[in-house]
Amino acid sequence: MKLLTLLKKPKTSWLFYGALFRSFTLSTSVAALFISAQSPSAYRDVPYQQDYSIKYYTSDSTIQLTNVGVDRNGVVQVLSAKGLLVPRNGQFQYPGTLVPDRSYRPMMDRKLTALAIRDQQFVYLDDKAVFSNAWAGKMLIHHALPNATFFAAGTNNTFLVSDGTSLKAFADTTVIWDGALKQDVVRAIRYEATQNQFWILGSHSLSRFDPVRKQISAIFQSANLTCFDLAPGKVYVGTHDGYWTLDAKTGKPIGTIQKKLPWTDLTTISVAHGTVWFGSTMGAFMLRPDGKFNYYYGERWLPGNTVTAIAEGTDKTVLILTNKGLGEIHFEPMTLYQKALVYEKQVRQRHIRYGFNCDVVTLQNGDLATAQMGQRDSDNLWTSMYLVSQLFRYKVTGDKEALQNVQESFDAMERLFSITNMSGFFGRGFERRGYHTFEARAWDGGLTNGWNHAQDSEWDWRGTTSSDQTVGQMFTLTLVAELMDGDIKKRAITLMDQLMTNIINNDWYLIDVDGKPTLWGKWNPTYVNGFPTNVGDRKINSSNIIGFLQAAYHFTGKPIYKEKAYELMQKYGYLENLMRPMNEIGKAPAGSDDWAKMLSEGWNHSDDEMYFLAYWCLYPYAFTPELKANFGEAIKDHWQAERPEKDGLWNLCYAMTGAKAFDLPETIWYLQEFPLDMIEWPVMNSHRKDIERVPENFRGQTTREVLPPDERPELKHNRDLFKLDRPQKVSSELSAGDSFLLPYWMGRYLGVISAPANK
């Protein structure tokens, strides 16, 4: 989540243990086709702060968890209604548990009510005394408050203890002051070392106690106070509806109460590692230097959403205690390259199926040990995006592992053609026989779900091939043909030729095994121009097919592809269709048929993905400079419409045209903010008070600014990135192969993201 850049050399982490840094050489043999060698204005890949969570759950979610801390030895303790708990066996994406702390037997018999840290050691409060196991166990101050609940430890062995009503101050074992808040009850106590004074929060007041003068004075009053903490020169005071910032010297508010928060019902405030953190009944959030907040909600970050305590952890970690367990938020110095290595491992270990990039694996309750892959609707599209990421990786680094990944995925995509036994027609996917159903599905017309028996009796394959899968094939075939040599290049060109020949011979349709066009594989002029001019399918189908024909002509040299492209552009208006501005795309006008109305109910984000991937066919291989200029304008117009999403892939596909201004800072923001944990946890944002809503619109944009990837529910490029909520139960993990690795390695290949600066 965070764009803080570190100047010091990062530490080696468990995330990268055993990873070897490789030498980097930017391939310039083909870069001139798109963007020449790395620009001086390229982003320099230095370490930034990458956050991730390690979670620890309680076995009994009804146990009340009240406080958490860590001592100088790195020991973390959680105070619960049943005594002390400690974390056990937690790792990133493999949660641990909170178990009883059995390290000191006498502690298990004490009725603990609070814990605190003094001089990096644990200090405890129970119904009889303030005490510690540090300092040879000599600290023991009997307080005579059987219901003592709150305390703070000061310097020179001073303490302030309260049962909610009475207050007692101690110097060593001597009571030096006994009193109470005026017509209020105690909610929390803090000690300020620089001023040698205690702060006491009541339900409607904030007071200071001077242990030298033995005086207490109220400095601020307001209703519904819940929590507070001290920062240099400031006091942050939480309520059930926002927080106040006070001048620590005068006690006067600095401005008005702040309510523009992710959630306003605050339960705890903690200044951890110099940053102000807030806990609430709906997650935790961190105050950024720009006055906005980083929001930690849901099991991507926390075991539960009701936060009870926040504390500093070791190094830069922050401990967030919730009603269901402990979330340990880590901030690790990391380059984008190091982040990519984490995702490379994720894809290879859990998302490779027969060489395909399985974009979603099913899970049970977020448990990665239950991960199961299966045939997806668009296996070849997600695989194409992953394959090209590895192709760019290979061209940039020369990494033989990346080359092997390319070859394995290309074999899978090539087999989609051969398994159908129909020249130029490829399937959606394949599976061993007996592990799928042949049941009808409504979106397939209610007749078939597309499965067919292959000639090989061990296998079945799935038809109903669509236009987006065709984009996937052409994206891969074009870039393999462009960037590779030898046999694999020849194979790619052969498949491209067969595919385009099939489409032309079948009157611009993909014809399935039943002799009928598939539902979506249609580029025929009667079909395309049958849509009103403002329906997006008319524009996208025209744009895609012209790009396909140009690439096929470039690599095969066959005149028919150029002739047919000009026929579509000049005779059937496909050039006019693809040049139509995006601001003219909208809902079908009155009187349109039901199909056009259904396809134009709202903005189609899958179409965006199809456009931008196919631009790699449309722009570089334009027949003339004039056409290239026109195509460049159409791409720029589309990119301008998409800019609010801050999607790094769209920005980089536009950069492919040679554009100098393509939102590189937003692209880096997108990549840095991408969550390491790609399990599709429930995410909710519609309750937030810190987002600015916009009126309902055709594009489905809900807020003025898109939320960071690690705070929102949707991560895939073909989904609505302005979607705020995903309330359903967790059931899957996304692959980073198409969502992160493609834009990262594309940026490296285009020379706008540098090699890691900390080799």
Side-chain angles (χ1 to χ4, degrees):
M1 217 176 239
K2 322 316 153 202
L3 301 182
L4 301 176
T5 301
L6 299 187
L7 299 180
K8 62 182 182 180
K9 184 177 180 182
K11 300 177 182 178
T12 303
S13 143
W14 64 269
L15 283 170
F16 314 108
Y17 181 75
L20 298 177
F21 288 106
R22 301 174 176 89
S23 61
F24 297 88
T25 56
L26 179 67
S27 171
T28 58
S29 61
V30 297
L33 179 62
F34 305 116
I35 289 181
S36 59
Q38 185 171 303
S39 165
S41 61
Y43 168 72
R44 185 169 178 265
D45 189 14
V46 295
Y48 67 97
Q49 293 276 47
Q50 176 64 55
D51 51 355
Y52 60 89
S53 175
I54 298 177
K55 294 167 292 186
Y56 301 87
Y57 291 82
T58 57
S59 57
D60 181 358
S61 61
T62 65
I63 297 176
Q64 184 180 7
L65 308 177
T66 58
N67 211 342
V68 61
V70 60
D71 70 4
R72 61 184 292 271
N73 304 308
V75 174
V76 175
Q77 289 185 335
V78 171
L79 181 61
S80 78
K82 294 187 177 181
L84 291 175
L85 307 175
V86 291
R88 182 178 68 180
N89 294 340
Q91 298 181 43
F92 173 59
Q93 293 195 305
Y94 292 90
T97 54
L98 292 177
V99 298
D101 183 357
R102 303 181 184 279
S103 55
Y104 281 86
R105 287 181 60 191
M107 297 293 289
M108 301 177 69
D109 295 326
R110 308 204 62 141
K111 298 178 180 179
L112 301 179
T113 58
L115 65 80
I117 299 293
R118 198 196 83 174
D119 299 333
Q120 296 184 291
Q121 302 279 16
F122 284 116
V123 180
Y124 307 98
L125 177 71
D126 68 5
D127 57 338
K128 295 183 175 62
V130 175
F131 68 99
S132 177
N133 295 318
W135 306 290
K138 291 184 291 183
M139 178 187 288
L140 181 66
I141 298 97
H142 291 282
H143 52 64
L145 293 172
N147 297 314
T149 310
F150 309 99
F151 84 112
T155 56
N156 301 318
N157 257 10
T158 58
F159 300 90
L160 186 62
V161 182
S162 175
D163 59 4
T165 302
S166 300
L167 284 160
K168 282 189 177 183
F170 295 84
D172 291 320
T173 59
T174 303
V175 177
I176 60 173
W177 178 82
D178 193 341
L181 295 180
K182 187 176 181 180
Q183 296 180 341
D184 205 351
V185 293
V186 176
R187 300 295 300 269
I189 304 175
R190 296 283 189 273
Y191 177 72
E192 184 182 13
T194 57
Q195 301 298 319
N196 186 28
Q197 61 185 357
F198 292 90
W199 292 74
I200 308 105
L201 181 73
S203 294
H204 51 79
S205 67
L206 181 66
S207 303
R208 288 187 294 214
F209 172 71
D210 185 333
V212 176
R213 297 180 180 179
K214 302 178 181 58
Q215 294 178 347
I216 188 170
S217 58
I219 64 167
F220 176 74
Q221 291 189 338
S222 182
N224 299 316
L225 303 183
T226 59
C227 53
F228 84 111
D229 204 3
L230 309 170
K234 296 179 180 179
V235 184
Y236 293 89
V237 182
T239 76
H240 286 298
D241 192 23
Y243 73 88
W244 295 93
T245 303
L246 308 181
D247 182 291
K249 185 176 182 180
T250 65
K252 294 182 178 180
I254 302 174
T256 59
I257 190 169
Q258 171 64 276
K259 297 184 180 183
K260 196 175 181 180
L261 312 174
W263 192 239
T264 57
D265 188 2
L266 302 182
T267 57
T268 185
I269 300 176
S270 177
V271 179
H273 304 296
T275 301
V276 184
W277 285 79
F278 301 87
S280 76
T281 54
M282 292 286 277
F285 41 96
M286 179 187 79
L287 179 62
R288 301 196 315 235
D290 63 1
K292 298 182 180 180
F293 299 92
N294 292 328
Y295 190 32
Y296 297 83
Y297 173 94
E299 290 182 89
R300 181 181 285 164
W301 302 107
L302 307 173
N305 287 316
T306 301
V307 178
T308 58
I310 299 176
E312 286 188 358
T314 56
D315 297 325
K316 294 292 183 180
T317 62
V318 176
L319 306 174
I320 302 179
L321 191 64
T322 77
N323 57 319
K324 295 184 179 180
L326 176 66
E328 191 176 78
I329 309 299
H330 290 247
F331 294 89
E332 187 165 304
M334 189 180 295
T335 62
L336 289 177
Y337 172 72
Q338 290 173 315
K339 188 172 187 175
L341 291 185
V342 177
Y343 291 133
E344 296 282 1
K345 187 175 181 180
Q346 182 242 26
V347 175
R348 299 310 301 182
Q349 290 187 345
R350 293 194 294 276
H351 291 271
I352 296 299
R353 170 186 167 274
Y354 305 135
F356 292 117
N357 170 40
C358 185
D359 71 313
V360 177
V361 297
T362 60
L363 303 174
Q364 296 177 15
N365 300 318
D367 183 357
L368 291 177
T370 66
Q372 184 176 82
M373 297 181 291
Q375 196 277 321
R376 304 290 298 170
D377 286 346
S378 295
D379 271 348
N380 78 82
L381 176 58
W382 316 129
T383 303
S384 169
M385 298 170 76
Y386 170 65
L387 187 156
V388 172
S389 81
Q390 299 305 289
L391 183 57
F392 288 147
R393 176 186 172 193
Y394 173 63
K395 298 306 293 186
V396 169
T397 68
D399 193 325
K400 298 301 182 183
E401 178 183 278
L403 176 59
Q404 186 174 355
N405 295 343
V406 169
Q407 292 169 331
E408 288 183 6
S409 289
F410 187 83
D411 287 344
M413 294 188 68
E414 184 179 46
R415 193 180 182 204
L416 288 173
F417 282 92
S418 62
I419 200 169
T420 70
N421 201 34
M422 300 167 64
S423 179
F425 183 76
F426 63 95
R428 282 181 179 264
F430 51 77
E431 182 56 277
R432 296 184 186 277
R433 189 162 297 180
Y435 290 91
H436 54 77
T437 63
F438 283 76
E439 297 174 358
R441 301 203 312 186
W443 70 270
D444 285 323
L447 299 175
T448 175
N449 62 5
W451 283 100
N452 307 278
H453 293 311
Q455 286 190 336
D456 183 339
S457 61
E458 293 293 322
W459 294 88
D460 291 322
W461 63 275
R462 189 176 173 196
T464 67
T465 308
S466 72
S467 53
D468 55 343
Q469 284 111 49
T470 307
V471 167
Q473 285 287 355
M474 287 300 298
F475 182 53
T476 282
L477 298 177
T478 297
L479 283 161
V480 169
E482 178 62 49
L483 300 180
M484 298 296 287
D485 296 312
D487 179 64
I488 193 171
K489 178 185 181 83
K490 293 177 182 178
R491 289 156 60 195
I493 295 173
T494 296
L495 293 176
M496 183 189 303
D497 189 23
Q498 291 174 351
L499 172 58
M500 296 313 299
T501 297
N502 178 293
I503 292 173
I504 291 173
N505 288 346
N506 286 294
D507 198 22
W508 306 106
Y509 291 110
L510 278 178
I511 302 300
D512 213 331
V513 290
D514 59 0
K516 299 177 182 179
T518 65
L519 184 63
W520 301 107
K522 300 173 181 178
W523 301 271
N524 179 277
T526 301
Y527 174 80
V528 171
N529 290 332
F531 290 107
T533 56
N534 70 326
V535 173
D537 286 62
R538 181 165 178 158
K539 176 179 171 72
I540 190 171
N541 285 19
S542 299
S543 178
N544 286 172
I545 196 65
I546 297 303
F548 299 164
L549 290 166
Q550 287 183 154
Y553 174 74
H554 177 85
F555 290 107
T556 68
K558 292 184 177 182
I560 188 173
Y561 297 129
K562 188 173 186 178
E563 294 167 2
K564 290 295 184 181
Y566 272 107
E567 179 181 302
L568 292 176
M569 287 190 289
Q570 295 175 347
K571 182 178 179 180
Y572 295 105
Y574 278 33
L575 179 59
E576 179 183 356
N577 289 345
L578 72 88
M579 292 298 298
R580 185 161 292 111
M582 282 293 177
N583 62 13
E584 294 183 14
I585 302 302
K587 293 187 176 183
S592 301
D593 60 34
D594 291 342
W595 186 243
K597 291 179 180 178
M598 185 276 291
L599 291 177
S600 61
E601 289 176 347
W603 193 262
N604 190 321
H605 299 278
S606 287
D607 283 0
D608 290 326
E609 189 167 71
M610 293 168 63
Y611 274 117
F612 278 103
L613 298 184
Y615 288 155
W616 287 78
C617 302
L618 183 70
Y619 183 81
Y621 308 109
F623 296 133
T624 67
E626 293 76 17
L627 280 175
K628 178 171 281 192
N630 284 334
F631 297 155
E633 284 302 310
I635 296 169
K636 181 178 181 180
D637 173 69
H638 186 189
W639 173 74
Q640 290 281 10
E642 294 300 318
R643 290 182 75 184
E645 290 189 357
K646 299 183 182 180
D647 189 308
L649 181 57
W650 304 163
N651 294 340
L652 292 165
C653 286
Y654 174 52
M656 173 269 297
T657 67
K660 300 303 180 184
F662 56 90
D663 290 350
L664 179 58
E666 287 78 5
T667 301
I668 301 306
W669 170 87
Y670 171 88
L671 295 172
Q672 290 183 342
E673 297 282 324
F674 219 79
L676 288 178
D677 184 351
M678 294 188 65
I679 294 174
E680 293 195 281
W681 299 106
V683 173
M684 300 295 289
N685 287 291
S686 59
H687 59 273
R688 294 176 65 162
K689 311 297 185 183
D690 64 333
I691 54 178
E692 183 178 338
R693 299 295 190 104
V694 297
E696 187 175 342
N697 54 83
F698 179 72
R699 291 185 58 83
Q701 183 171 340
T702 55
T703 55
R704 189 175 66 84
E705 292 186 1
V706 69
L707 292 173
D710 59 0
E711 294 182 15
R712 65 186 184 225
E714 301 296 6
L715 298 174
K716 290 180 70 66
H717 303 290
N718 68 330
R719 297 182 184 177
D720 182 1
L721 303 188
F722 280 95
K723 180 179 176 181
L724 295 175
D725 298 337
R726 182 178 56 235
Q728 63 267 29
K729 186 178 180 181
V730 59
S731 62
S732 56
E733 182 196 44
L734 297 177
S735 167
D738 49 285
S739 53
F740 181 92
L741 292 180
L742 177 58
Y744 169 72
W745 288 113
M746 185 181 290
R748 290 288 305 276
Y749 172 73
L750 294 176
V752 298
I753 298 175
S754 79
N758 66 327
K759 288 193 271 186

